[in-house]
Amino acid sequence: MPLINIGTELAFFFHVPRCAGSAVENYLIARFGDLGFLNRAHETPLPQQRWSRSSPQHIDVEALDVVLPSSFYKYQFATVRHPVARLRSVFLFQRDWTKVISPRRLFSQWLEQIPEQHEKNPFIFDNHTRPMSHLVPQTATTFKLELGLDPVVAWLDSICGNTNAPRSIEKTNDIETLQSMSNPSLPRRVPEITQADVAFIADYYKSDFDRFGYSPDWNTSEPQTHQGSTP
């Protein structure tokens, strides 16, 4: 959840993992300079040597309110994504890039373990599987990734009063690029998503569907794309 200095005001970007958060951060750096509350090397030290349970940009709202009350910043925004697309992207990221999921693990097997994992450690996977509603406050302006990121640029134009810097937000950490960097000789393997998987996500992440206006409908016969989102 990086902190941004926009003129004389502070803004907060609530970074929901696998919702183009890194791409937005890179844009914010290019436009406004250094960001606070950002540490992309959080996973490097051993767990007992880290100052926090999650990287600062992935902090949950409840924890943030303890250390940085919302009265400290004027603007707040986030990008969100259909929960099924987001969970699929998390799975691919953790399997093919961070490699904490076995390549033999099925999506369904991984998915059904999430509730138990959250009970033991709500910060598992650096909050990648945390519900979006835990990471974005009710008062934040939200943008759906499926509709593109141009509205984010336009919103920033409106609050800072200019059209400086790049006019578009470029892809960063998209799964296709990460997979090719990790092992370009392996074919891309998209997990099969079943109707049972969709039903499970719709139930466990119900707050995300309700809060951000997503429908649980999902075409399992076309698992690679949905409403223009990228895997």
Side-chain angles (χ1 to χ4, degrees):
M1 279 70 171
L3 194 62
I4 311 118
N5 192 344
I6 301 179
T8 60
E9 303 289 353
L10 287 176
F12 218 93
F13 170 57
F14 290 86
H15 179 156
V16 180
R18 305 313 300 165
C19 295
S22 295
V24 174
E25 288 169 357
N26 288 347
Y27 178 85
L28 293 170
I29 292 169
R31 184 162 185 174
F32 301 110
D34 292 339
L35 305 180
F37 242 70
L38 174 64
N39 178 14
R40 290 176 174 173
H42 174 266
E43 295 292 314
T44 302
L46 294 173
Q48 62 268 28
Q49 296 174 325
R50 299 171 192 160
W51 75 275
S52 61
R53 297 284 299 278
S54 73
S55 57
Q57 62 269 26
H58 295 167
I59 191 172
D60 62 281
V61 172
E62 185 176 349
L64 179 66
D65 285 344
V66 173
V67 297
L68 190 67
S70 60
S71 58
F72 274 66
Y73 44 91
K74 183 173 182 179
Y75 305 105
Q76 48 188 304
F77 67 107
T79 50
V80 296
R81 188 178 193 177
H82 192 288
V84 176
R86 178 182 173 234
L87 267 294
R88 178 189 58 195
S89 183
V90 169
F91 175 81
L92 289 170
F93 181 81
Q94 301 293 344
R95 185 194 69 184
D96 299 339
W97 182 248
T98 64
K99 301 185 188 302
V100 296
I101 298 175
S102 167
R104 296 182 296 275
R105 198 81 170 151
L106 297 178
F107 179 76
S108 298
Q109 294 172 327
W110 172 78
L111 188 67
E112 66 185 11
Q113 290 188 329
I114 288 177
E116 181 181 353
Q117 290 173 331
H118 281 175
E119 283 292 325
K120 294 179 179 179
N121 176 14
F123 304 95
I124 194 169
F125 300 121
D126 194 19
N127 275 348
H128 274 62
T129 52
R130 200 79 171 253
M132 294 186 292
S133 55
H134 290 192
L135 303 175
V136 181
Q138 291 282 351
T139 50
T141 299
T142 57
F143 301 90
K144 289 186 176 181
L145 183 58
E146 292 83 1
L147 302 180
L149 295 174
D150 288 346
V152 177
V153 176
W155 182 78
L156 289 168
D157 290 346
S158 69
I159 67 172
C160 68
N162 63 58
T163 56
N164 297 342
R167 294 287 79 209
S168 62
I169 299 174
E170 303 301 323
K171 275 187 178 183
T172 303
N173 286 350
D174 58 288
I175 196 63
E176 297 95 335
T177 301
L178 293 177
Q179 284 176 321
S180 65
M181 291 169 59
S182 175
N183 196 333
S185 64
L186 288 178
R188 180 171 179 241
R189 296 174 295 115
V190 178
E192 177 186 0
I193 297 178
T194 67
Q195 289 293 348
D197 296 334
V198 175
F200 180 93
I201 295 170
D203 178 56
Y204 189 71
Y205 292 88
K206 184 178 186 301
S207 62
D208 288 349
F209 285 93
D210 294 345
R211 165 94 179 274
F212 302 108
Y214 284 106
S215 168
D217 294 337
W218 185 269
N219 186 354
T220 57
S221 66
E222 297 181 5
Q224 295 191 22
T225 60
H226 184 74
Q227 294 184 343
S229 64
T230 54

